[in-house]
Amino acid sequence: MTTTQLVHQIQTKKSFLCIGLDVDLNKIPAFLLEKEDPIFEFNKAIIDATHDVCVSYKPNTAFYEAYGIKGWQSLQKTIQYLNDNYPEIFTIADAKRGDIGNTSSMYAKAFFEDLAFDSVTVAPYMGKDSVEPFLAFEGKHTIMLALTSNEGAFDFQTLQVKDKEFYKQVLETSKNWKNAENLMYVVGATKAEYFTEIRKIVPENFLLVPGVGAQGGSLSEVCKYGMNDNVGLLINSSRGIIYASNQEDFAEKARAEALKLQQEMETILLHKK
Amino acid sequence: MTTTQLVHQIQTKKSFLCIGLDVDLNKIPAFLLEKEDPIFEFNKAIIDATHDVCVSYKPNTAFYEAYGIKGWQSLQKTIQYLNDNYPEIFTIADAKRGDIGNTSSMYAKAFFEDLAFDSVTVAPYMGKDSVEPFLAFEGKHTIMLALTSNEGAFDFQTLQVKDKEFYKQVLETSKNWKNAENLMYVVGATKAEYFTEIRKIVPENFLLVPGVGAQGGSLSEVCKYGMNDNVGLLINSSRGIIYASNQEDFAEKARAEALKLQQEMETILLHKK
């Protein structure tokens, strides 16, 4: 999917919501556990109920790997269901991969070819040759961790290097990598005050923003400082939407939560014009 | 597996060799491609031929994920074969994972419980709460990237932060994390001159050392600067061993290459005493 197609979808749906499909068998409605593939059934119901109010889904691979082969089958069925039924949706494999060059190529193959995701999240620690193999895929997007939403972000990401904080150096350096136009960045909503500085370094790139909702970030603050002419934001919410209810009405309640966020987004987009 | 058991195995086998099982279907002997599970058949043959001259195997997950569900089945069969037949072997899932706390817990579950590896590699970028969930598992080891063997290592890992290089700050900081005694570190052999400095910060911890062989690192240099009283090193070789031949004799030739390294190690261990 091209960035233009993503922007078009955002404008049409008046939403830049991404729904995180972090499915934990201990949290989904008990009646689903009797199904052959509870994780996929859960995702399918959530997707069918929310696809018109969001533009993206983001399964985090950890939640699938934790269930072994069965988990990977659920992940594969989920991405295939999305690609078959809702091809306009921007799909993100939240995998946070990264390795030496020839190994990163294998990860890129796994997520872009075998599973056919539109994008994958990667970690920057190993530098250029660990990320460029992902960037080489045309029509695919590589979403690199910059400033994450967790407490541990302050352990290393905000250390002073040279004259700036480390995550800013990560942003600066990555702009010079081959096919850097395929880069997006993860920036946590819990650090809204940082967006002004970040936009000085990467004015054009899309930012994937976790941390609204359960983790305490503010949608309006993020938009105030982080939005660009193309919107340039994908706001992720996972637990706040998918676990809105653990009863028969879980998909309906998830839709209600997603709709609330979409409506806030619509208002923000209106005022932006 | 406890560190004591690992050290005992090293002393018994006079080897601190780890063999990387990075299996690429384009590189294995063609006759194996007719088997139902070529990757597992390849691994099984390599393991049977080399288990007495090495102490550890390290499948890199990228090479399995690239083949989707079938790849994960091969990974699962490989670790199960190791655990069933060679329980003394120290197994490493080279996965380079790391995410916010509750998500890292799912990765830990995937590799320590579902797949039953002894250890997993993790990336430090997201800090303390992204690594501690792995450290919480008793009898398991968490191998964190410090200074990697690739060119991209110089993009961020060696930047000056405060009064030291970034990877040293990563080592320092991680020593204060809960259950830090379960930490090992990845340090590339291609940077042997750095080992002296690293040993000042982490004198006791095991170091997993990729980059000997194909990537050009020197075994004797690494041992000279990196070895401690417990040996404290696991030297990984992947391509140099497993692709020594792509004919019927591949396992035999792999053993010959592994044996060469084991014998160099035996000599080093002798002179150490």
Side-chain angles (χ1 to χ4, degrees):
Chain A
M1 180 180 296
T2 65
T3 305
T4 311
Q5 288 170 318
L6 172 60
V7 173
H8 178 75
Q9 194 196 169
I10 290 172
Q11 287 164 341
T12 309
K13 291 180 173 171
K14 299 178 177 62
S15 170
F16 40 101
L17 177 62
C18 171
I19 297 179
L21 299 172
D22 303 349
V23 185
D24 184 333
L25 289 180
N26 297 315
K27 291 185 182 162
I28 68 175
F31 76 91
L32 285 177
L33 300 177
E34 291 156 23
K35 307 264 181 180
E36 201 197 317
D37 187 341
I39 296 179
F40 173 67
E41 294 299 331
F42 179 80
N43 284 346
K44 184 174 172 298
I46 295 281
I47 292 165
D48 287 340
T50 57
H51 68 93
D52 60 322
V53 293
C54 72
V55 295
S56 178
Y57 291 98
K58 180 178 75 64
N60 186 307
T61 52
F63 290 82
Y64 299 83
E65 292 178 26
Y67 302 110
I69 303 280
K70 274 184 81 75
W72 271 84
Q73 280 167 338
S74 306
L75 179 64
Q76 193 177 55
K77 280 161 78 176
T78 300
I79 181 65
Q80 195 166 337
Y81 186 76
L82 280 166
N83 285 338
D84 288 350
N85 296 281
Y86 307 108
E88 77 284 5
I89 289 286
F90 183 73
T91 55
I92 304 171
D94 195 359
K96 301 187 176 71
R97 299 299 198 262
D99 209 306
I100 63 172
N102 76 318
T103 307
S104 272
S105 297
M106 298 302 268
Y107 279 130
K109 191 165 133 54
F111 291 105
F112 292 153
E113 289 182 355
D114 184 69
L115 291 170
F117 275 93
D118 292 314
S119 67
V120 63
T121 60
V122 302
Y125 193 72
M126 293 181 69
K128 177 172 159 164
D129 60 284
S130 74
V131 179
E132 282 190 343
F134 293 97
L135 295 173
F137 282 73
E138 212 177 326
K140 301 291 185 179
H141 303 263
T142 305
I143 310 177
M144 194 166 77
L145 299 179
L147 185 62
T148 57
S149 60
N150 62 325
E151 196 191 320
F154 298 110
D155 283 335
F156 305 123
Q157 297 165 26
T158 52
L159 288 179
Q160 247 355 78
V161 294
K162 298 183 187 171
D163 57 339
K164 57 172 75 74
E165 287 159 296
F166 181 51
Y167 76 93
K168 290 183 188 168
Q169 187 61 50
V170 167
L171 291 171
E172 288 278 9
T173 302
S174 68
K175 288 172 69 174
N176 299 317
W177 293 345
K178 201 172 172 188
N179 302 308
E181 68 277 10
N182 295 335
L183 272 173
M184 299 182 175
Y185 299 97
V186 174
V187 181
T190 43
K191 298 168 180 74
E193 68 270 31
Y194 292 81
F195 277 81
T196 310
E197 294 293 303
I198 288 167
R199 275 297 180 209
K200 287 182 193 161
I201 308 171
V202 288
E204 304 292 342
N205 304 64
F206 259 83
L207 307 178
L208 171 64
V209 185
V212 162
Q215 293 179 61
S218 150
L219 175 64
S220 61
E221 289 289 295
V222 169
C223 291
K224 186 171 166 188
Y225 300 113
M227 204 171 257
N228 66 15
D229 287 346
N230 271 336
V231 181
L233 296 172
L234 289 170
I235 304 286
N236 183 75
S237 177
S238 305
R239 286 169 277 176
I241 292 176
I242 67 174
Y243 299 133
S245 157
N246 65 357
Q247 305 298 313
E248 293 270 354
D249 64 352
F250 72 99
E252 202 180 310
K253 287 284 162 65
R255 180 183 172 78
E257 289 303 317
L259 190 63
K260 266 189 228 167
L261 279 167
Q262 183 275 322
Q263 286 172 342
E264 282 185 62
M265 289 175 182
E266 187 166 346
T267 306
I268 290 168
L269 290 174
L270 256 177
H271 289 134
K272 183 177 166 272
K273 280 172 187 167
Chain B
M1 180 180 297
T2 65
T3 305
T4 311
Q5 288 169 319
L6 173 59
V7 174
H8 178 75
Q9 193 195 169
I10 289 173
Q11 288 164 340
T12 308
K13 291 182 175 172
K14 299 178 178 61
S15 171
F16 41 101
L17 177 62
C18 170
I19 297 179
L21 299 173
D22 303 349
V23 185
D24 185 333
L25 288 181
N26 297 316
K27 292 186 182 162
I28 69 175
F31 75 91
L32 285 177
L33 300 177
E34 290 155 24
K35 306 264 182 179
E36 201 195 318
D37 187 342
I39 296 179
F40 173 67
E41 293 300 331
F42 179 81
N43 284 346
K44 184 174 171 298
I46 295 281
I47 292 164
D48 288 340
T50 58
H51 68 93
D52 59 323
V53 292
C54 73
V55 294
S56 178
Y57 291 98
K58 178 178 78 62
N60 186 306
T61 52
F63 291 82
Y64 299 84
E65 292 178 25
Y67 301 110
I69 302 282
K70 276 185 79 76
W72 270 85
Q73 279 165 338
S74 306
L75 179 64
Q76 193 178 55
K77 279 161 77 178
T78 300
I79 181 65
Q80 196 166 337
Y81 186 75
L82 280 166
N83 285 338
D84 288 350
N85 295 281
Y86 307 108
E88 77 284 5
I89 290 285
F90 183 73
T91 55
I92 304 172
D94 195 359
K96 301 187 174 71
R97 299 298 199 263
D99 209 307
I100 61 172
N102 76 318
T103 306
S104 273
S105 297
M106 297 303 267
Y107 278 129
K109 191 166 133 54
F111 292 105
F112 292 154
E113 290 182 355
D114 184 69
L115 291 171
F117 275 93
D118 292 313
S119 68
V120 63
T121 59
V122 301
Y125 193 73
M126 293 181 69
K128 176 173 161 163
D129 61 284
S130 73
V131 179
E132 283 190 342
F134 293 96
L135 295 173
F137 282 72
E138 212 178 325
K140 301 290 184 179
H141 303 262
T142 305
I143 311 178
M144 193 164 78
L145 299 179
L147 186 61
T148 58
S149 60
N150 62 325
E151 197 191 319
F154 298 110
D155 283 335
F156 305 123
Q157 298 165 24
T158 53
L159 288 178
Q160 256 339 89
V161 294
K162 297 183 188 171
D163 57 339
K164 57 172 76 71
E165 287 159 296
F166 181 52
Y167 76 92
K168 290 184 187 167
Q169 187 62 50
V170 167
L171 291 171
E172 288 279 8
T173 302
S174 67
K175 289 171 70 175
N176 299 317
W177 294 343
K178 201 171 173 189
N179 302 309
E181 69 277 10
N182 295 335
L183 272 173
M184 300 181 175
Y185 299 96
V186 174
V187 181
T190 43
K191 298 169 180 73
E193 68 270 32
Y194 291 81
F195 277 82
T196 311
E197 294 293 303
I198 289 167
R199 276 299 179 208
K200 286 182 191 160
I201 309 171
V202 288
E204 304 291 341
N205 303 64
F206 259 83
L207 307 178
L208 171 63
V209 185
V212 161
Q215 292 178 63
S218 150
L219 175 63
S220 61
E221 289 288 297
V222 169
C223 292
K224 186 171 166 190
Y225 301 113
M227 204 171 257
N228 67 16
D229 287 347
N230 271 336
V231 181
L233 296 172
L234 289 170
I235 304 285
N236 183 75
S237 177
S238 304
R239 288 169 275 174
I241 292 176
I242 68 173
Y243 299 133
S245 158
N246 65 356
Q247 306 298 314
E248 293 271 353
D249 65 351
F250 73 98
E252 203 180 307
K253 287 283 164 63
R255 180 183 171 78
E257 289 302 317
L259 190 63
K260 266 190 230 168
L261 279 168
Q262 182 275 323
Q263 286 171 343
E264 282 185 60
M265 289 174 181
E266 186 165 348
T267 306
I268 290 169
L269 290 174
L270 256 176
H271 289 133
K272 184 177 166 270
K273 277 172 190 164

